[in-house]
Amino acid sequence: MDDVIDPGETMKRVVLYSKSGCHLCDVAMETIEFIRQKTAFEFSVVDIQSDPQLYERYRYQIPVVCIDGEAVFRHSVDAVVFAGIVSGDHAGDFEFSMK
């Protein structure tokens, strides 16, 4: 029963800080959505242009991906590392294939 989620385990929360017209943000979103098809996690997108403080903080770093409140990726998302973090497999044994 490897597919059963431990009730004591909470789902990872992923936030993508982005803005419209950002090609790197689009690529990050595609990567995150692809992994989301295989691994459950909470996901939201925040437009940094909606908040002047966020814009000042992230405008030269987007896309920024935070997992459980911690900024883990800036400028790009490593799909294998991201999948390992959200699946709880920090050892890097997560099976990954873009096929």
Side-chain angles (χ1 to χ4, degrees):
M1 289 271 162
D2 292 334
D3 295 338
V4 177
I5 296 175
D6 181 348
E9 238 181 84
T10 58
M11 200 177 292
K12 297 286 185 185
R13 288 173 297 177
V14 176
V15 178
L16 170 63
Y17 291 94
S18 179
K19 72 173 189 154
S20 63
C22 170
H23 173 69
L24 293 176
C25 300
D26 295 341
V27 173
M29 172 81 84
E30 289 173 10
T31 301
I32 292 167
E33 288 292 355
F34 177 79
I35 302 301
R36 195 170 184 209
Q37 293 174 14
K38 300 175 183 263
T39 304
F41 54 88
E42 295 176 26
F43 178 53
S44 61
V45 178
V46 175
D47 182 349
I48 65 168
Q49 293 176 313
S50 67
D51 181 322
Q53 289 180 325
L54 288 176
Y55 183 77
E56 283 300 313
R57 183 175 184 182
Y58 293 127
R59 69 180 170 169
Y60 299 118
Q61 301 176 36
I62 58 171
V64 174
V65 176
C66 294
I67 302 174
D68 292 338
E70 181 181 341
V72 179
F73 299 99
R74 288 179 168 79
H75 306 292
S76 65
V77 177
D78 181 307
V80 174
V81 173
F82 178 81
I85 294 170
V86 296
S87 71
D89 180 13
H90 300 283
D93 293 332
F94 185 85
E95 185 178 321
F96 179 79
S97 172
M98 293 287 286
K99 295 180 183 177

